[in-house]
Amino acid sequence: MCKEIEGVVYDTANSTIDKKFTYGAPGDPYGYEETLYKTNDGKFFVYTYGGTLSKYPTENIIPIERDMVKNWMLSH
């Protein structure tokens, strides 16, 4: 997925996965994934996607500040 947010392009195909959390089994309508990516220029973002009844029923990209990455990881 590729998305431009405030002039910055976030692209899952051209970024590196840092950490991934999966909740539920494949096909679970309540299941979802949150994947932390790091861009080539050091920016972080979370890619989210899930089942139709999950908190992420459509895919999305959410930028995250470097100083919030540790808190994001600890919250899982």
Side-chain angles (χ1 to χ4, degrees), residues 44-74:
F44 288 91
F45 66 94
V46 178
Y47 168 78
T48 60
Y49 186 67
T52 55
L53 300 175
S54 74
K55 66 182 189 176
Y56 303 118
T58 58
E59 64 181 339
N60 195 19
I61 287 179
I62 303 163
I64 184 171
E65 294 296 325
R66 180 181 211 61
D67 60 344
M68 296 304 296
V69 169
K70 185 176 180 180
N71 290 338
W72 179 85
M73 285 190 194
L74 291 174

Side-chain angles (χ1 to χ4, degrees), residues 17-66:
I17 293 175
D18 191 272
K19 190 72 172 172
K20 183 175 187 174
F21 294 99
T22 303
Y23 302 91
D28 178 358
Y30 293 97
Y32 62 90
E33 296 180 351
E34 295 178 333
T35 308
L36 178 68
Y37 282 86
K38 185 177 182 182
T39 66
N40 292 334
D41 59 351
K43 291 182 177 19
F44 288 91
F45 66 94
V46 178
Y47 168 78
T48 60
Y49 186 67
T52 55
L53 300 175
S54 74
K55 66 182 189 176
Y56 303 118
T58 58
E59 64 181 339
N60 195 19
I61 287 179
I62 303 163
I64 184 171
E65 294 296 325
R66 180 181 211 61

